[in-house]
Amino acid sequence: MNHATRRLCILGLSLLLAAAATAAGKTKTPAKNSINFERTKIRINALVTQRLKPTPLPETLPNPFQLAATAPALTGHEKNPKPVADGLPPGSDSEMLLYYGATLRISGTVRTDDQTHLIINQAPYKEGDVFVVKGREGNAKLRILGIAPGELTLGLNDAVQVIKFKK
């Protein structure tokens, strides 16, 4: 066999193998495409039905800004319920300090003359200062007993409360 005949034979065999491979590939491809099409159709239906007919929300939604452990205890039928601290007598100085301490907005610290001032409700206060906080039951005078990095110690009469905040 000469060189040209060998090349012609190899070319013919490679064409036959290529034709057989494409014929075998064509029979498998439609089955694979139909499976992918079905999966896609199921996903689309799941998304569209959730969009067109969403599941209804519960009648009473939970308050996202209130921790479950510190849920307020209601006394009677109050319009604006006041949280009652566990273990404290109602109306005590400790309870009032907890209530008023939770309403403070601490927005930063300032250091002047080697003394740290804390910005509370948009005004600077240093250790020993007294400031007035307005509430539903009236005003309360809170005393700043101590300022430490990330901590504020408040006092109301004999009650003391440490409030932690981010520096």
Side-chain angles (χ1 to χ4, degrees):
M1 226 164 138
N2 68 19
H3 190 60
T5 310
R6 266 192 212 160
R7 282 190 178 178
L8 190 58
C9 231
I10 291 174
L11 180 64
L13 285 174
S14 63
L15 285 174
L16 282 173
L17 288 173
T22 55
K26 284 184 182 179
T27 58
K28 292 182 182 176
T29 306
K32 185 176 181 183
N33 283 342
S34 66
I35 292 172
N36 286 339
F37 178 72
E38 289 298 322
R39 285 183 191 164
T40 305
K41 191 174 176 183
I42 291 170
R43 288 181 190 155
I44 289 172
N45 285 338
L47 292 172
V48 169
T49 54
Q50 182 62 26
R51 178 71 178 213
L52 294 176
K53 296 178 184 177
T55 56
L57 294 173
E59 289 182 22
T60 56
L61 293 173
N63 186 353
F65 302 105
Q66 188 174 33
L67 297 174
T70 60
L74 299 178
T75 57
H77 300 289
E78 299 175 348
K79 217 176 208 182
N80 296 320
K82 179 185 161 214
V84 177
D86 293 335
L88 297 175
S92 68
D93 289 339
S94 298
E95 181 186 354
M96 298 304 288
L97 187 58
L98 282 172
Y99 174 72
Y100 287 117
T103 63
L104 299 179
R105 289 186 317 257
I106 301 171
S107 57
T109 58
V110 178
R111 186 146 178 94
T112 56
D113 299 329
D114 293 332
Q115 200 166 28
T116 303
H117 292 72
L118 206 56
I119 310 294
I120 302 172
N121 297 343
Q122 299 179 347
Y125 295 102
K126 64 182 184 296
E127 207 170 296
D129 284 351
V130 175
F131 61 98
V132 177
V133 179
K134 295 179 182 179
R136 286 192 301 262
E137 286 89 29
N139 297 338
K141 293 182 180 179
L142 302 180
R143 179 177 299 277
I144 298 178
L145 301 176
I147 298 174
E151 283 187 356
L152 167 67
T153 306
L154 291 176
L156 177 68
N157 298 333
D158 292 332
V160 176
Q161 176 69 36
V162 176
I163 299 174
K164 296 187 182 214
F165 61 93
K166 292 182 181 180
K167 311 187 246 181

